[in-house]
């Protein structure tokens, strides 16, 4: 499991959470798999306490489910849950796009273009992890520039549910048409065209809802 590895002893709770979340999203810990705090603590080089705290957070976010005194396991992929998460995350991306576009600077546009170039290259190479990482980096520019902390927190909470399904679909040979949509989004942002940027953002996230279907 490449995502399960020792972590520096700083922010242990957050780092344990990120490592376990990434392993679940990547499918290294499969849906339905039982997870044990002692085993993962050993793999991560941590005590059990931060791993237990990470478990609690992952249960709240829908990636784990727990029955007290019985088990903690990875939740199954439920398309209805993914569709709901995509609808919420998409609406928030539309919100932050509307706020962010008038505030974007040249460096922000450059960062978005670079992220889309990495995204397109990763899709061509079949590198799902790199594609999803670049996709996040592109959209995170708008989230950051908007300055909306509530939107940022909610997007961070529900995006992993969506990424689980995206990764599986791409791994099964699914296609991705988002590089072209990203380019349209970037051009709208560069032109300061708020309405067009929001329209393209809605189209991108509508596609993810359809992926769940």
């Amino acid at each position: 499991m490449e995502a399960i590895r020792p972590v520096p002893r700083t922010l242990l709770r957050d780092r344990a959470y990120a490592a376990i979340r990434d392993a679940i999203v990547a499918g290294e810990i499969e849906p339905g798999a039982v997870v044990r705090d002692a085993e993962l603590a050993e793999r991560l080089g941590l005590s059990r306490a931060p791993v237990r705290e990470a478990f609690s957070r992952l249960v709240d976010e829908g990636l784990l489910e727990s029955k007290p005194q019985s088990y903690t396991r990875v939740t199954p992929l439920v398309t209805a849950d993914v569709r709901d998460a995509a609808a919420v995350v998409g609406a928030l991306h539309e919100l932050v796009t509307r706020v962010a576009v008038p505030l974007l600077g040249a460096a922000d546009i450059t960062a978005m273009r670079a992220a889309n170039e990495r995204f397109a290259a990763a899709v061509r190479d079949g590198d799902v992890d790199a594609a999803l990482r670049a996709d996040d980096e592109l959209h995170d520019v708008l989230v950051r520039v908007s300055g909306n902390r509530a939107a940022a927190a909610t997007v961070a909470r529900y995006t992993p549910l969506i990424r689980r399904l995206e990764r599986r679909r791409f791994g099964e040979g699914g296609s991705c048409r988002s590089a072209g949509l990203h380019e349209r989004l970037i051009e709208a942002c560069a032109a300061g065209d708020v309405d067009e940027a929001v329209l393209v953002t809605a189209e991108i996230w509508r596609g993810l809802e359809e992926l769940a279907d």
Side-chain angles (χ1 to χ4, degrees):
M1 296 184 182
E2 295 181 359
I4 301 296
R5 57 187 182 275
V7 297
R9 299 192 67 82
T10 57
L11 301 175
L12 299 183
R13 172 181 57 196
D14 293 338
R15 291 183 177 273
Y17 160 79
I20 299 167
R21 177 203 62 200
D22 291 349
I24 293 171
V25 171
E28 295 177 13
I29 307 177
E30 297 182 349
V34 173
V35 292
R36 297 177 175 85
D37 55 4
E39 177 183 342
L40 289 179
E42 182 177 358
R43 286 180 176 273
L44 292 167
L46 300 174
S47 68
R48 294 168 71 175
V51 173
R52 286 174 177 168
E53 292 180 36
F55 279 6
S56 178
R57 183 173 172 183
L58 290 162
V59 168
D60 288 342
E61 295 181 0
L63 292 176
L64 292 178
E65 57 187 6
S66 181
K67 183 178 180 180
Q69 309 302 321
S70 182
Y71 62 78
T72 300
R73 65 189 180 196
V74 178
T75 55
L77 273 170
V78 179
T79 55
D81 291 344
V82 176
R83 188 167 54 248
D84 290 346
V88 170
V89 172
L92 289 174
H93 274 291
E94 290 180 47
L95 171 65
V96 300
T97 297
R98 187 172 296 280
V99 173
V101 169
L103 304 175
L104 291 169
D108 300 314
I109 300 298
T110 298
M112 293 175 72
R113 291 192 192 282
N116 197 37
E117 290 174 3
R118 292 192 297 273
F119 177 86
V123 171
R124 287 194 302 270
D125 294 340
D127 188 338
V128 178
D129 291 331
L132 295 180
R133 185 165 57 249
D135 185 69
D136 283 339
E137 290 166 355
L138 189 156
H139 292 287
D140 282 349
V141 172
L142 295 166
V143 175
R144 172 180 55 78
V145 171
S146 78
N148 190 320
R149 291 186 178 182
T154 304
V155 166
R157 173 171 181 167
Y158 289 107
T159 295
L161 286 173
I162 304 166
R163 292 312 193 206
R164 286 177 76 193
L165 182 62
E166 283 186 283
R167 195 182 191 286
R168 172 165 292 191
R169 288 287 188 265
F170 293 159
E172 292 170 349
S175 61
C176 179
R177 61 187 182 90
S178 292
L181 287 173
H182 286 163
E183 187 60 34
R184 283 178 53 199
L185 172 62
I186 294 166
E187 291 305 319
C189 289
D193 190 336
V194 175
D195 291 339
E196 175 65 10
V198 172
L199 183 66
V200 178
T201 298
E203 187 173 348
I204 290 170
W205 288 92
R206 186 165 56 249
L208 291 176
E209 291 184 60
E210 293 169 358
L211 181 69
D213 293 330

